[in-house]
């Protein structure tokens, strides 16, 4: 099937101190209709930037984005406006994105009226009721006249999601949409997103730095792991979590504590050669992870930049030359002095 | 030497803290009691606003002026065996106690470091306030910075903004140990840091704890972090410690419905597909808390008595495991049936 959205060779640079900083490099990513895809990786790896490009809030510096198989630029202005509306971003901090001076009714009513999503005042009112019910803010009558500060964090996040639904989107980018709320509330928000996906046929791009949450939310979908502006591994969540391939993914999974004392105390340790994440203005040559990688092969990993590809023994796509060439990963001698146990 | 259950360092008895607010009295901590032992790491878990920070600020008497504190003692045992009640401390006593007996790494401290003060000055100032000279302070700091896996000389010369979040957190940990306290309180030290940074903070904390043998109160709303580093776990709800016990007891044989609900809401990375449940509703208003068990409105196990009579804390497992839940039998049965799993 043709993906809803496809990023092809997308690069994005930002200017910092008059120097261009490559924040995304060669991102190739097809997103299928109705799928759940999770972007994970450490702070600054480019998750939000990718999410903003997907939702049309930011343009690639080079490369292109396709909507249903055609470059966005090949659609006319009117069509582009419609496409833009179909791609919505839900911000992580609803406090920052919900206008404190407006009631929830206004917040949902404005986009409905502006884009003429429904007819007449009573249509708007009915739709607001419907949307609030959809995000489980019931009874809606108790909510419409409230201001954002009168709601709890979880409720505000629901309003944010309801607002993104006002324009009948096809795809939602949820950027750390639940990271600000308590554990107990998170799960109900995620379940709600799942239900909305089924009911409305939504495609969801879920951005998080919490791997356990990614695993839970995207269990039936895919995970893309990003490192320093590139996707280093992508595949079915179940494969990536059960048998991570890329050394960076392995390091991340090994580092995550588990909410279970026995599990977490008997986890395998993978110590990196260096704790420090390189700066985007000084990205190492070859595989950007090689200076930290306990398995790096000198002469191979520090040469060319690996592209995503297949390899023997795993079903996901990985940007790692040794893996693609079937070279077994062994801890490199030069890194053994740092290896240690953490149990 | 590690966790010594026969040697109590800090004994907190019926500690309550109220804040005066416009709408009324916020009962932020109600009758909290626990013992902290030598070498023990106690993790304090619970949702936002349940009183974790308040309880610990009370332990070092650093509460804002609007707070009032009440209780039957915060008994501290010095290394030489002398005992004292922190509730009876003068300001001067408190200044001497802070850092040298008990130090705290504050919530959000990462971002509140004074930007114009070098790490070295932070070290010297802290030490000087306790009569320790520069040379000795420097020696101790260099050693500690090395123990938290930093480049000691370079870090000593650095300003906070020159260090990454993970480095700053490790600096704070090192500085908190300069005066060799018996107790270190860490308030959400791994919240909002990256996975690999969190990993290095946890590893470093474990290493230091082994080498220097201090006790830790570790505040976190992250159950996974608690599962990993705690000897003992205490669950707080609406200002009360509702369950406390050895980490395996609390995680595998939970006896309070709230603890079990928290666990049922926490995804585990290496446990295949999971059925998670959220907790309905939200924590109660601490100005006008519900009658009976404060959790009853959100509880799946609720019965009539829960609605009007507060459940007492009951001891199990030779007195090491305490919980205040009328339905602890059903909770325990469910915990035993569901919590222990085999990994992927
Ligand atoms: N408008 C901008 N101008 C300059 N640099 C930017 C801008 N937006 C993002 N960056 C930089 O681009 C990099 C990637 O940022 P991005 O927000 O995409 O990361 P992220 O993976 O979402 O991180 P986090 O987990 O912290 O949200 C960072 O180094 C960031 O500082
Ligand atoms: N200075 C204050 N005045 C009035 N109420 C306060 C004050 N500080 C805290 N509170 C209230 O006391 C209760 C406990 O707050 P506390 O900060 O101790 O919770 P916490 O468990 O540390 O939460 P978090 O996980 O968000 O850090 C909350 O209801 C909070 O709103
Ligand atoms: Mg981001
Ligand atoms: Mg707190």
């Amino acid at each position: 099937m043709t993906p809803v959205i496809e990023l092809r060779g997308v690069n994005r640079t930002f200017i910092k101190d008059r120097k261009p900083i490559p924040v995304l490099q060669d991102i190739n990513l097809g997103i299928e209709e109705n799928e759940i895809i999770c972007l994970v990786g450490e702070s600054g790896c480019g998750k939000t930037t990718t999410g903003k490009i997907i939702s049309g809030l930011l343009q690639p510096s080079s490369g292109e984005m396709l909507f249903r198989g055609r470059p966005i630029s090949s659609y006319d202005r009117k069509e582009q406006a419609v496409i833009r509306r179909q791609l919505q971003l839900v911000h992580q901090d609803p406090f920052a994105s919900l206008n404190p001076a407006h009631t929830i009714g206004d917040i949902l009513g404005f986009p409905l009226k502006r884009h003429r999503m429904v007819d007449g005042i009573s249509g708007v009112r009915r739709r607001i009721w419907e949307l609030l019910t959809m995000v489980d803010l019931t009874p809606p009558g108790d909510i419409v006249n409230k201001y954002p500060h009168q709601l709890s964090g979880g409720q505000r996040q629901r309003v944010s999601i309801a607002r993104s639904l006002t324009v009948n989107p096809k795809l939602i980018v949820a950027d750390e949409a639940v990271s600000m709320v308590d554990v107990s509330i998170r799960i109900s928000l995620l379940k709600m997103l799942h239900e909305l996906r089924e009911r409305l046929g939504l495609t969801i791009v879920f951005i998080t730095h919490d791997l356990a949450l990614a695993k839970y939310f995207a269990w039936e979908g895919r995970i893309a792991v990003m490192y320093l502006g590139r996707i280093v591994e992508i595949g079915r969540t179940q494969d990536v979590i059960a048998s991570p391939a890329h050394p960076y993914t392995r390091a991340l999974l090994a580092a995550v504590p588990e909410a279970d004392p026995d599990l977490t105390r008997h986890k395998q340790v993978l110590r990196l050669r260096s704790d420090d994440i390189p700066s985007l203005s000084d990205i190492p040559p070859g595989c950007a992870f090689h200076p930290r990688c306990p398995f790096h092969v000198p002469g191979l990993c520090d040469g060319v930049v690996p592209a995503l590809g297949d390899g023997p023994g795993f079903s996901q796509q990985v940007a790692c030359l040794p893996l693609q060439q079937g070279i077994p990963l062994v801890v490199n001698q030069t890194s053994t002095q740092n290896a240690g146990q953490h149990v | 030497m590690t966790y010594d259950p026969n040697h109590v360092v800090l004994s907190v008895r019926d500690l309550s803290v109220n804040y005066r607010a416009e709408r009324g009295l916020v009962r932020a901590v109600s009758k909290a009691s626990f013992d902290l032992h030598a070498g023990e790491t106690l993790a304090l878990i619970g949702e936002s606003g349940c009183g974790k920070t308040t309880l610990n600020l009370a332990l070092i008497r650093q509460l804002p002026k609007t707070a009032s504190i009440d209780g039957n003692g915060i008994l501290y045992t010095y290394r030489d065996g002398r005992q004292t009640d922190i509730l009876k401390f003068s300001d001067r006593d408190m200044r001497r106690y802070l850092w040298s007996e008990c130090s705290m790494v504050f919530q959000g401290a990462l971002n509140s470091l004074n930007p114009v003060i070098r790490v070295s000055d932070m070290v010297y100032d802290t030490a000087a306030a306790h009569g320790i000279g520069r040379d000795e302070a420097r020696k101790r700091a260099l050693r500690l910075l090395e123990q938290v896996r930093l480049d000691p000389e370079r870090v000593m010369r650095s300003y906070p903004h020159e260090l990454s979040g993970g480095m700053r957190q490790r600096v704070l940990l090192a500085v908190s140990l300069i005066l060799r306290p018996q107790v270190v309180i860490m308030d959400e030290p791994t919240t909002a840091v990256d996975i690999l940074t969190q990993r290095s903070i946890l590893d470093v904390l474990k290493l230091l704890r082994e080498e220097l043998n201090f006790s830790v109160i570790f505040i976190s709303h992250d159950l996974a972090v608690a599962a990993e580093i705690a000897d003992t776990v205490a669950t707080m709800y609406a200002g009360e410690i509702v369950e406390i016990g050895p980490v395996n007891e609390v995680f595998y044989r939970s006896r309070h419905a709230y603890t079990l609900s928290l666990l049922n809401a926490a995804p585990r990375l290496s446990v295949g597909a999971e059925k998670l449940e959220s907790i309905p509703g939200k924590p109660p208003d601490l100005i006008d808390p519900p009658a009976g068990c404060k959790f009853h409105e959100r509880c799946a196990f609720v019965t009539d008595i829960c609605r009007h009579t507060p459940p007492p804390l009951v001891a199990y497992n030779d007195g090491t495991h305490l919980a205040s839940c009328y339905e602890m039998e059903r909770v325990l049965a469910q915990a035993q049936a569901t919590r222990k799993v085999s990994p992927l």
Side-chain angles (χ1 to χ4, degrees), chain A residues 44 47-49 92 175-176 207:
Chain A
K47 303 183 294 296
T48 295
T49 307
Q92 100 174 71
D175 188 358
E176 307 273 5
I207 296 177

Side-chain angles (χ1 to χ4, degrees), chain A residues 71-139:
Chain A
I72 298 275
S73 52
S74 73
Y75 292 89
D76 66 31
R77 286 238 332 257
K78 237 173 120 186
E79 287 169 328
Q80 284 192 27
V82 174
I83 293 171
R84 192 125 307 150
R85 249 182 272 147
Q86 295 190 352
L87 312 169
Q88 289 290 316
L89 184 113
V90 177
H91 199 269
Q92 100 174 71
D93 179 4
F95 235 155
S97 64
L98 300 179
N99 190 329
H102 293 159
T103 64
I104 307 307
D106 290 340
I107 288 170
L108 299 180
F110 288 145
L112 287 174
K113 289 179 205 153
R114 181 155 153 242
H115 300 295
R116 298 180 210 282
M117 302 307 298
V118 283
D119 288 331
I121 295 295
S122 63
V124 169
R125 207 180 126 84
R126 204 169 330 119
R127 185 68 182 142
I128 290 174
W129 244 247
E130 232 170 71
L131 287 165
L132 287 172
T133 312
M134 224 184 269
V135 297
D136 297 328
L137 287 172
T138 50

Side-chain angles (χ1 to χ4, degrees), chain A residues 182, chain B residues 17 19 26-30 32 44-56 107 188 219-221 234-242 258 262 283-284 286 294 298:
Chain A
D182 258 307
Chain B
V17 180
Y19 290 107
V26 182
R27 296 169 203 286
V29 176
S30 306
L44 205 54
I45 59 175
E47 283 166 286
S48 187
C50 69
K52 305 180 295 293
T53 298
T54 304
L55 169 56
N56 284 280
Q107 186 167 12
E188 307 271 12
I219 304 176
S220 181
H221 57 255
T235 316
M236 274 189 92
Y237 187 76
E240 294 173 354
I241 292 179
V242 295
Y258 178 60
L262 279 180
L286 295 179
K294 287 178 180 164
R298 308 172 71 193

Side-chain angles (χ1 to χ4, degrees), chain A residues 41-43 152 155 182-188 191 209 211-213 215-216 219 241-242 248 251-265 267 271-272 275-276 292 342-343, chain B residues 47-48 149 170 194-196 198-200 202-203 206 223-225 227-230 247-248 251-252 262 265-274 276-279 282 298 339-341 343-344:
Chain A
E42 290 173 283
S43 184
S152 71
Q155 288 175 318
D182 258 307
V183 260
S184 57
I185 297 157
R186 257 180 224 178
I187 301 306
S188 63
K191 285 186 173 178
H209 60 266
L211 283 165
L213 211 63
K215 172 229 123 181
Y216 171 72
W219 185 246
I241 299 296
Y248 179 63
L252 284 184
L253 295 189
V256 174
E258 305 267 0
D260 180 312
D262 281 349
L263 277 185
T264 200
R265 287 169 204 228
K267 268 188 105 148
R271 176 94 359 112
L272 297 181
D275 278 343
D276 296 323
R292 302 175 78 191
H342 84 250
V343 176
Chain B
E47 283 166 286
S48 187
R149 293 206 226 121
R170 282 180 281 162
D194 267 313
I195 300 165
L196 296 177
Q198 167 175 285
R199 170 50 54 212
S200 82
L202 291 177
D203 286 354
K206 286 187 212 167
L223 296 169
V225 173
E228 176 156 333
I229 64 148
V247 61
N248 282 337
F251 273 78
Y252 299 131
L262 279 180
R268 287 162 294 184
L269 188 62
S270 47
V271 180
E274 285 180 290
L276 301 179
E277 290 302 331
S278 57
I279 309 177
K282 57 173 203 265
R298 308 172 71 193
R339 292 317 304 172
K340 192 88 176 161
V341 293
L344 272 180

Side-chain angles (χ1 to χ4, degrees), chain B residues 7-243:
Chain B
H7 179 176
V8 176
V9 178
L10 197 63
S11 179
V12 179
R13 289 291 157 255
D14 302 321
L15 184 69
S16 298
V17 180
N18 297 327
Y19 290 107
R20 260 177 288 116
E22 260 172 51
R23 282 200 305 124
L25 218 51
V26 182
R27 296 169 203 286
V29 176
S30 306
K31 300 228 173 218
S33 298
F34 64 88
D35 288 336
L36 182 70
H37 304 86
E40 177 179 17
T41 297
L42 168 71
L44 205 54
I45 59 175
E47 283 166 286
S48 187
C50 69
K52 305 180 295 293
T53 298
T54 304
L55 169 56
N56 284 280
L57 289 177
L59 299 182
I60 52 170
R61 301 274 303 276
Q62 300 292 304
L63 290 161
K65 287 210 167 61
T66 54
S68 58
I69 178 170
D70 183 33
N72 287 323
I74 303 175
L75 298 179
Y76 177 77
T77 307
Y78 288 91
R79 283 198 178 78
D80 62 12
R82 271 183 312 128
Q83 273 203 346
T84 181
D85 185 352
I86 293 167
L87 284 178
K88 304 208 173 89
F89 267 8
S90 67
D91 287 354
R92 194 160 148 264
D93 295 335
M94 197 63 235
R95 274 198 300 277
R96 249 187 267 159
Y97 175 81
L98 251 185
W99 298 96
S100 56
E101 303 297 333
C102 176
S103 58
M104 179 155 175
V105 179
F106 292 94
Q107 186 167 12
L110 273 188
N111 306 316
S112 60
L113 286 176
N114 189 334
V116 297
I117 293 190
R118 288 179 201 267
V119 171
S120 55
D121 292 325
M122 209 161 99
V123 166
Y124 299 147
D125 291 353
T126 308
H130 291 263
I132 290 173
R134 278 172 91 96
D135 288 349
E136 175 64 15
R138 186 178 168 76
K139 214 173 78 198
R140 289 188 190 185
L142 290 176
R143 169 97 185 96
L144 280 163
L145 289 171
E146 198 180 314
Q147 282 170 303
V148 297
R149 293 206 226 121
L150 292 169
D151 175 352
E153 297 283 353
R154 189 175 83 85
V155 168
M156 278 289 264
R157 284 192 306 269
S158 302
Y159 291 100
H161 70 89
E162 296 170 317
L163 305 169
S164 71
M167 293 166 93
R168 267 184 266 166
Q169 195 61 272
R170 282 180 281 162
V171 166
L172 288 170
L173 178 58
V175 172
S176 76
L177 291 165
I178 288 274
L179 291 148
R180 301 179 179 148
Q182 287 197 91
V183 179
V184 177
I185 300 170
M186 302 182 78
D187 197 349
E188 307 271 12
T190 64
T191 304
V193 304
D194 267 313
I195 300 165
L196 296 177
T197 309
Q198 167 175 285
R199 170 50 54 212
S200 82
I201 293 170
L202 291 177
D203 286 354
V204 153
L205 176 61
K206 286 187 212 167
L207 221 79
L208 280 174
R209 205 172 52 176
E210 248 160 58
E211 285 172 21
L212 304 174
N213 197 51
F214 45 92
S215 310
V216 181
I217 301 180
F218 193 98
I219 304 176
S220 181
H221 57 255
D222 185 344
L223 296 169
V225 173
E228 176 156 333
I229 64 148
D231 299 301
T232 306
V233 176
T235 316
M236 274 189 92
Y237 187 76
E240 294 173 354
I241 292 179
V242 295
E243 176 159 18

